[in-house]
Amino acid sequence: MSIKADLPSKTRKLDLGGIMDIHKLNKLLKRDEGPKLDFKETLHLETESEKKEFTKDIIAIANSRGGRGYIIYGVQDKTKRIIGVEQKDFVEEKLQQIAYNRIDPPVPLATDCIEVEGKLVVVLTIYADSHKPYQMIRNGAFYIRRGSTTDIARRSEIANAFQECGMLTYETVILRNAGVEDLDTSIIQKYLNNMGVTAEYPSDILLESMGIIGRKIGTPDYNVTIGGMLLFGKNPSVFLPHAYVKVDSADETVCFCGNILNLLNDVSDYLKKFIRRQDYPFTALEEAVANAIVHRDYLDSSRGIHINITSKSIEISNPGALIAGNTVYKFIKESNPERRNSWLYQRVLVLDEKGRFSKSGIGMKRIRHAFSGIGYVKFINLGSQNLFKVI
C-alpha cells in the first residue's frame, strides 16, 4: 500500500507530542481494530445522535487501557479498503469544541490529514493522560472498549479508573457488614509494635487514622475497611469471597483463604512440596506469588488468583492487568514503577517480618535473573482480559 503525505497536517493548538506521519499511519493500517484503534468510513456531525456517537467513541478509547488511541476515517473497518473523506468535514476546532462541551474532563485530541492512494485519510489521535475516567456530560455514562466494540463501563471498571488516577483509595472503603470484632487484634498489635507505636489496645480513633476502620456517614458505628480486612481480618473470605488463591496440579485442586500474610505463608508451604531441584530459586517464586496477592485487582470480584502447576512450569494468573501507562518492559527496567494497592503494599512492608516485600520494585528483573539457570520466565500482560500472568 503506497502512502504519500502531499497534504500538510493541521496546525495544533496543544503541544501533545508526536505527529502522525506516513510511517505511523502505515503501521496502524496493518493492525486490526481493538481497544485503542477504530476504523470508520465517514464522519457525520449534523444531528444530535451523530454527535453523541462521536463523543462515545472518543470516551471509550480514552478510558481503555494503554497509551494514546486512534480513530481513522476514510477506511473500511473489515476490508481496510481506502474510501477517503472530505477534508471540510474535519475542522479540528469543531471536533475539539464538540468533545470539550460533551466530555468531562475534556479529552486532548489532534487531527492529521494524509493522502493515501489519491484519497484523503484523517487520523484522530486521542491522547491518554492521568484524568481518567472520562464521562459523557449529557447522560453521565462512562464508556469503554471491549475489543473493537464500544460499551458502557461496569461499576468495577469505573472504580478501578478512579483508583488509578488517585481519586479513590479502594482499600479504605468500608465493608458495611464487618465490625471491629472481625479483626484479629494480635496482628494489629504486631503491626503497631513494628511501627514503634505503644498501645495496649488500639483505640477506634487510632485504627481509623490508620485506615483500618471507618465510620458510616451519619452513624456512630465503625466498620472494617477492605484493606483492614485483607490485612488484619480473622476470616476475610466471609466478606471478600474472591480473596483466595486456587492451586491446580495433576493430583488435586486446593483453595487457600485467609488474610494476606497467612495466605502467602500457606501457599508458599504448599508449593514447596512440588519443588524437586536443590538449586530451584524458590524465593523468586514466592515473590511472584506475593506480588500477585498484594497487587491484584480486588475490584474484580469475579475470580481469585489461579496457580497452575505442570511438569514443565508454574503459571500464576493474577486478576489485574498492569495499571494504565505501564508495560512489562517498563516494569522490568524501572526501579520504582507505579503499582496497584499502594495502601496495602506500604502496610504489608511493615507487617511482613520475613522481608519478602522489602526489595519490591525491581521484582520482575530479579525473578527473571533468579531463574536464568533453570529456564525462561515469561511475563504476560492481558489488558483486555484484566489479567497478568507470570510463567
Side-chain angles (χ1 to χ4, degrees):
M1 181 182 292
S2 61
I3 303 177
K4 59 181 181 179
D6 294 336
L7 296 175
S9 297
K10 294 187 69 64
T11 303
R12 277 165 186 69
K13 291 183 177 180
L14 299 175
D15 181 18
L16 296 170
I19 298 175
M20 180 60 58
D21 57 29
I22 57 175
H23 303 293
K24 292 180 182 178
L25 178 57
N26 193 27
K27 290 181 180 179
L28 290 175
L29 290 173
K30 293 178 181 178
R31 286 167 47 185
D32 294 328
E33 285 188 327
K36 287 293 184 178
L37 179 62
D38 195 9
F39 295 106
K40 293 188 178 295
E41 295 184 28
T42 59
L43 174 65
H44 298 294
L45 297 173
E46 285 75 31
T47 67
E48 176 64 25
S49 62
E50 289 169 346
K51 292 177 182 178
K52 181 181 178 181
E53 286 301 311
F54 171 70
T55 307
K56 280 175 57 178
D57 291 335
I58 293 173
I59 292 173
I61 289 177
N63 279 338
S64 298
R65 292 179 179 276
R68 65 186 61 174
Y70 306 94
I71 302 177
I72 302 179
Y73 295 94
V75 180
Q76 284 187 336
D77 60 347
K78 303 297 183 185
T79 65
K80 303 288 184 68
R81 188 164 69 90
I82 304 300
I83 304 298
V85 293
E86 295 291 331
Q87 188 172 8
K88 63 180 177 61
D89 296 329
F90 293 88
V91 179
E92 182 164 330
E93 290 77 8
K94 179 181 179 181
L95 303 184
Q96 294 270 13
Q97 185 179 34
I98 292 173
Y100 180 84
N101 290 331
R102 294 168 179 267
I103 302 174
D104 182 33
V107 178
L109 305 173
T111 58
D112 288 284
C113 302
I114 301 176
E115 189 174 316
V116 182
E117 299 177 355
K119 298 173 183 176
L120 184 67
V121 171
V122 175
V123 181
L124 180 67
T125 302
I126 301 162
Y127 290 88
D129 58 23
S130 59
H131 296 122
K132 294 180 183 179
Y134 296 98
Q135 180 182 27
M136 183 176 287
I137 295 174
R138 299 294 175 94
N139 61 6
F142 296 86
Y143 297 96
I144 199 167
R145 295 273 287 184
R146 304 193 194 284
S148 60
T149 304
T150 294
D151 197 3
I152 296 176
R154 300 188 182 103
R155 182 177 62 173
S156 61
E157 293 167 329
I158 297 170
N160 218 330
F162 277 119
Q163 185 181 19
E164 290 182 4
C165 75
M167 295 179 69
L168 167 69
T169 303
Y170 168 73
E171 301 102 303
T172 56
V173 174
I174 64 171
L175 291 164
R176 296 189 177 275
N177 296 321
V180 178
E181 66 277 5
D182 295 303
L183 293 172
D184 187 330
T185 55
S186 65
I187 304 177
I188 295 175
Q189 195 65 58
K190 183 195 299 184
Y191 176 75
L192 293 175
N193 292 340
N194 291 348
M195 287 281 290
V197 177
T198 303
E200 256 185 49
Y201 186 84
S203 66
D204 290 343
I205 295 175
L206 178 58
L207 294 179
E208 184 180 23
S209 69
M210 294 189 297
I212 297 173
I213 63 175
R215 192 180 302 201
K216 294 179 183 178
I217 297 175
T219 72
D221 301 324
Y222 283 100
N223 292 88
V224 182
T225 62
I226 292 173
M229 181 59 66
L230 288 170
L231 276 178
F232 307 105
K234 293 177 181 177
N235 195 354
S237 61
V238 171
F239 306 95
L240 301 165
H242 58 292
Y244 64 85
V245 177
K246 185 175 74 170
V247 183
D248 275 331
S249 66
D251 298 326
E252 61 182 354
T253 297
V254 181
C255 192
F256 296 90
C257 301
N259 62 61
I260 283 179
L261 285 183
N262 286 341
L263 192 59
L264 177 57
N265 291 336
D266 292 344
V267 172
S268 294
D269 290 342
Y270 181 75
L271 291 178
K272 286 178 182 177
K273 75 176 191 176
F274 293 94
I275 307 304
R276 301 288 184 263
R277 296 181 55 163
Q278 293 295 323
D279 60 343
Y280 189 89
F282 186 81
T283 301
L285 171 63
E286 187 177 45
E287 181 173 354
V289 176
N291 284 335
I293 293 173
V294 172
H295 299 300
R296 66 152 287 178
D297 179 5
Y298 283 100
L299 286 167
D300 186 344
S301 59
S302 65
R303 53 195 168 175
I305 296 167
H306 183 206
I307 301 176
N308 188 47
I309 302 173
T310 69
S311 60
K312 295 184 178 180
S313 69
I314 298 177
E315 176 179 307
I316 304 166
S317 181
N318 183 36
L322 297 181
I323 63 176
N326 282 329
T327 63
V328 170
Y329 177 80
K330 182 179 179 181
F331 248 72
I332 292 175
K333 290 295 183 182
E334 289 194 4
S335 60
N336 191 23
E338 187 178 358
R339 291 174 177 270
R340 183 184 284 106
N341 304 332
S342 59
W343 188 97
L344 280 177
Y345 172 64
Q346 291 159 9
R347 283 151 185 79
V348 81
L349 271 176
V350 176
L351 196 56
D352 182 27
E353 295 175 343
K354 295 182 180 180
R356 287 166 290 189
F357 299 90
S358 60
K359 297 180 181 179
S360 185
I362 54 173
M364 286 189 186
K365 184 188 295 184
R366 188 171 55 253
I367 291 170
R368 179 168 285 178
H369 177 73
F371 277 90
S372 59
I374 300 293
Y376 186 67
V377 177
K378 292 177 67 177
F379 302 102
I380 304 173
N381 185 47
L382 300 171
S384 61
Q385 300 177 38
N386 195 33
L387 283 175
F388 186 81
K389 295 186 178 184
V390 182
I391 303 173

